[in-house]
């Protein structure tokens, strides 16, 4: 059988395909490399020709912000932003250039600066933050100032003079409790709650006008207590009505407590609660979380330490706080008050059960006995008394009339 020989064809097409693929890849690499190189040149040129960003020259030292509550909660980068904002605001800079790429966070840190610094009364609390992109990202903060540099100096002098007069009344060697109580009573007794007061969001309203709202009350307490060496910071949140409110967190004899000078002021209380013009409520003169949260709720985005003690609450210190109801003790307190022609008789109970037991016994039995003693001691034909009954705060206050 014969064989047929066939010649094998050479595969020229495959070799050319490989050649063109390799050529294309080399060309692509050269092109992409040129683009990347060109972008690098443009980037470096932009850095060279771009105007220098006038960041705030920070002169603030670490000791200037030591123990500042909100500063300590920031990370290192945010602490730099905090100091830049603080430096600019101290200088009343219309524009503060900041190392930040987050305008919203910059505004939040600005709020923290003002919470830590009650003495910066010239900042009205509002600001515009704008983020800029480019060779370098940064933010410009434009705070709103309530006065000029010249007015600031004048107002500062007024504040210093009044604060000096106030602090002359308390020894620097006094206990934490005595200092806190002194400042609490100073503000309650010298300042009137007035929603229409000028500058009511800062301490100038307290020290110069003697009229303010919760922001002024709380910042003034912070300002004075810091001057006395007592840790005190500014806390914001809402109250039972849903309205925004401000109060303080303090350290008293080593433990955290809440203080609310505004709610101690009789002018702030309703006419039913303010039985007498000189009535002062001490429920929030050093109280714990449980007591505070009956009526106050701190902002959810604020991390606060636990306040677990009532040892230095005013009513506890002065024997007006009852963890167990004692009928004989309550009657004795009312009679002792009457015997020295004093006012009021105050009974603060640790919980609702004790309060309810006391309420039924006092108004169903004891107050009539005390009234008889009042009539007998002062030869009164008719006995009069007024009272405040507060189931929310578990408290009963009785005022006796001696004429």
């Amino acid at each position: 059988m014969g064989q047929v020989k066939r010649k094998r064809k050479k595969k020229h097409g495959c070799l050319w395909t490989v050649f063109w693929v390799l050529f294309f890849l080399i060309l692509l690499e050269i092109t992409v490399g040129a683009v990347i190189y060109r972008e690098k040149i443009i980037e470096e040129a932009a850095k060279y020709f771009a105007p220098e960003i006038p960041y705030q020259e920070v002169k603030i030292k670490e000791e200037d912000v030591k123990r500042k509550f909100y500063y300590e909660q920031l990370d290192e980068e945010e602490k730099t932003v905090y100091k830049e904002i603080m430096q600019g605001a101290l200088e009343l800079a219309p524009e503060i250039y900041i190392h930040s790429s987050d305008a919203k966070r910059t505004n939040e840190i600005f709020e923290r600066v003002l919470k830590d610094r009650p003495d910066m009364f010239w900042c009205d609390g509002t600001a515009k933050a704008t983020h800029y992109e480019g060779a370098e990202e940064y933010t410009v903060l434009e705070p709103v100032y309530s006065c000029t540099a010249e007015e600031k100096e004048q107002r500062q002098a007024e504040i210093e003079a009044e604060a000096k007069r106030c602090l002359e009344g308390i020894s620097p060697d006094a206990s934490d409790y005595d200092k806190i109580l002194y400042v609490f009573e100073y503000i309650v007794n010298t300042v009137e709650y007035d929603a229409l007061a000028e500058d009511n969001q800062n301490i100038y309203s307290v020290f110069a006008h003697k009229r303010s709202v919760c922001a002024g009350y709380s910042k003034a307490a912070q300002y004075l207590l810091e001057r006395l060496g007592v840790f005190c910071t500014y806390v914001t949140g809402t109250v039972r009505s849903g309205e925004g409110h401000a109060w303080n967190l303090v350290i008293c004899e080593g433990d955290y407590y809440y203080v609310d000078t505004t709610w101690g002021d009789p002018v702030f209380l309703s006419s039913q609660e303010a039985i007498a013009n000189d009535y002062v409520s001490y429920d929030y003169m050093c109280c714990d979380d449980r007591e505070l949260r009956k009526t106050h709720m701190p902002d959810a985005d604020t991390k606060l330490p636990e306040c677990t003690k009532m040892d230095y609450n005013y009513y506890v210190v002065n024997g007006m706080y009852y963890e167990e109801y004692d009928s004989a003790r309550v009657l004795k307190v009312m009679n002792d008050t009457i015997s020295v022609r004093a006012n009021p008789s105050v009974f603060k109970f640790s919980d609702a059960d004790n309060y309810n037991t006391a309420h039924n016994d006092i108004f169903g039995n004891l107050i009539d006995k005390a009234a008889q003693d009042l009539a007998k001691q002062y030869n009164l034909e008719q006995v009069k008394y007024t009272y405040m009954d507060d189931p929310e705060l578990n408290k009963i206050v009785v005022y006796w009339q001696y004429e």
Side-chain angles (χ1 to χ4, degrees):
M1 187 173 180
Q3 295 181 349
V4 178
K5 292 184 179 180
R6 296 180 179 177
K7 292 183 179 180
R8 183 175 293 177
K9 294 182 179 179
K10 295 180 179 179
K11 298 181 179 179
H12 295 293
C14 292
L15 291 173
W16 278 107
T17 300
V18 172
F19 171 78
W20 285 112
V21 168
L22 290 172
F23 178 78
F24 177 75
L25 290 173
I26 293 168
L27 183 63
L28 181 63
E29 184 177 355
I30 293 170
T31 304
V32 171
V35 170
I36 293 173
Y37 185 67
R38 184 179 64 183
E39 287 179 350
K40 286 184 178 179
I41 292 174
I42 293 172
E43 184 180 337
E44 291 301 318
K47 289 181 181 178
Y48 182 80
F49 291 107
E52 185 178 353
I53 301 168
Y55 289 116
Q56 207 67 36
E57 182 186 354
V58 176
K59 302 173 185 176
I60 295 163
K61 299 177 182 178
E62 192 62 28
E63 54 262 33
D64 297 329
V65 288
K66 187 178 180 182
R67 292 190 77 195
K68 293 299 182 182
F69 183 76
Y70 293 98
Y71 174 79
E72 292 296 335
Q73 294 183 359
L74 303 175
D75 61 33
E76 290 306 313
E77 288 185 4
E78 290 178 330
K79 285 180 177 179
T80 297
V81 172
Y82 179 107
K83 289 178 181 177
E84 288 176 330
I85 292 172
M86 181 174 159
Q87 186 70 58
L90 287 171
E91 297 171 0
L92 274 74
E95 294 182 339
I96 306 173
Y97 288 76
I98 298 160
H99 288 86
S100 172
S101 59
D102 189 337
K104 181 181 177 182
R105 185 56 178 162
T106 297
N107 251 327
E108 291 171 351
I109 295 174
F110 174 59
E111 291 174 4
R112 287 172 175 260
V113 171
L114 297 186
K115 285 183 177 182
D116 277 339
R117 293 295 300 261
D119 55 321
M120 292 173 61
F121 59 87
W122 55 88
C123 293
D124 81 348
T126 59
K128 176 185 175 183
T130 307
H131 166 236
Y132 291 91
E133 294 181 345
E136 183 178 354
E137 292 187 83
Y138 63 96
T139 295
V140 176
L141 185 75
E142 300 174 71
V144 176
Y145 302 115
S146 59
C147 60
T148 65
E150 184 178 347
E151 290 170 332
K152 170 195 163 188
E153 295 303 318
Q154 178 188 346
R155 295 183 181 189
Q156 184 71 61
E158 292 180 64
I159 290 169
E160 288 294 324
E162 182 57 32
K164 184 171 182 263
R165 279 193 290 271
C166 166
L167 297 177
E168 285 174 350
I170 181 75
S171 169
D173 297 325
S175 67
D176 289 347
Y177 174 82
D178 286 336
K179 290 176 180 178
I180 295 167
L181 177 60
Y182 177 82
V183 168
F184 183 95
E185 291 183 331
Y186 163 79
I187 293 173
V188 168
N189 292 326
T190 62
V191 183
E192 288 191 31
Y193 186 89
D194 183 358
L196 301 178
E198 293 181 33
D199 304 298
N200 62 26
Q201 296 301 300
N202 63 65
I203 63 173
Y204 186 64
S205 61
V206 170
F207 294 112
H209 305 315
K210 298 293 190 293
R211 308 179 80 85
S212 193
V213 296
C214 60
Y217 278 63
S218 302
K219 289 179 180 179
Q222 181 183 9
Y223 178 75
L224 292 171
L225 287 172
E226 285 185 338
R227 292 274 294 265
L228 288 170
V230 176
F231 169 85
C232 179
T233 196
Y234 183 80
V235 180
T236 56
T238 56
V239 291
R240 53 195 170 197
S241 64
E243 293 179 300
H245 189 54
W247 59 95
N248 297 106
L249 173 74
V250 302
I251 293 179
C252 182
E253 311 304 340
D255 292 304
Y256 285 104
Y257 293 87
Y258 286 111
V259 172
D260 188 344
T261 51
T262 311
W263 278 38
D265 195 327
V267 177
F268 180 71
L269 301 173
S270 68
S271 57
Q272 182 180 1
E273 291 175 314
I275 298 170
N277 193 44
D278 61 350
Y279 172 72
V280 175
S281 173
Y282 291 96
D283 296 274
Y284 305 100
M285 169 50 213
C286 290
C287 70
D288 63 6
D289 284 319
R290 186 170 64 95
E291 190 71 17
L292 178 88
R293 290 172 187 268
K294 292 176 182 177
T295 52
H296 297 51
M297 183 58 63
D299 289 332
D301 62 352
T302 303
K303 185 179 179 182
L304 294 165
E306 290 187 354
C307 298
T308 60
K309 293 189 176 181
M310 285 285 285
D311 297 18
Y312 284 97
N313 174 259
Y314 176 88
Y315 293 127
V316 174
V317 172
N318 289 278
M320 302 173 183
Y321 189 78
Y322 299 77
E323 293 185 341
E324 292 182 3
Y325 180 65
D326 185 336
S327 181
R329 178 186 169 193
V330 168
L331 180 59
K332 183 177 186 305
V333 167
M334 289 194 284
N335 285 334
D336 287 348
T337 303
I338 289 168
S339 67
V340 293
R341 205 180 177 92
N343 266 313
S345 298
V346 180
F347 308 99
K348 171 87 172 176
F349 301 95
S350 60
D351 54 52
D353 289 341
N354 273 317
Y355 164 79
N356 289 329
T357 300
H359 179 276
N360 294 335
D361 190 34
I362 289 173
F363 293 111
N365 180 28
L366 300 186
I367 201 163
D368 287 338
K369 291 182 179 180
Q372 291 172 13
D373 186 59
L374 173 65
K376 187 176 181 180
Q377 284 198 51
Y378 299 100
N379 297 317
L380 301 176
E381 293 183 3
Q382 186 178 16
V383 175
K384 293 182 181 181
Y385 58 84
T386 54
Y387 65 87
M388 180 183 74
D389 181 18
D390 191 337
E392 187 171 42
L393 296 177
N394 301 325
K395 185 175 66 174
I396 295 170
V397 179
V398 183
Y399 271 84
W400 310 100
Q401 294 186 26
Y402 296 100
E403 295 177 359

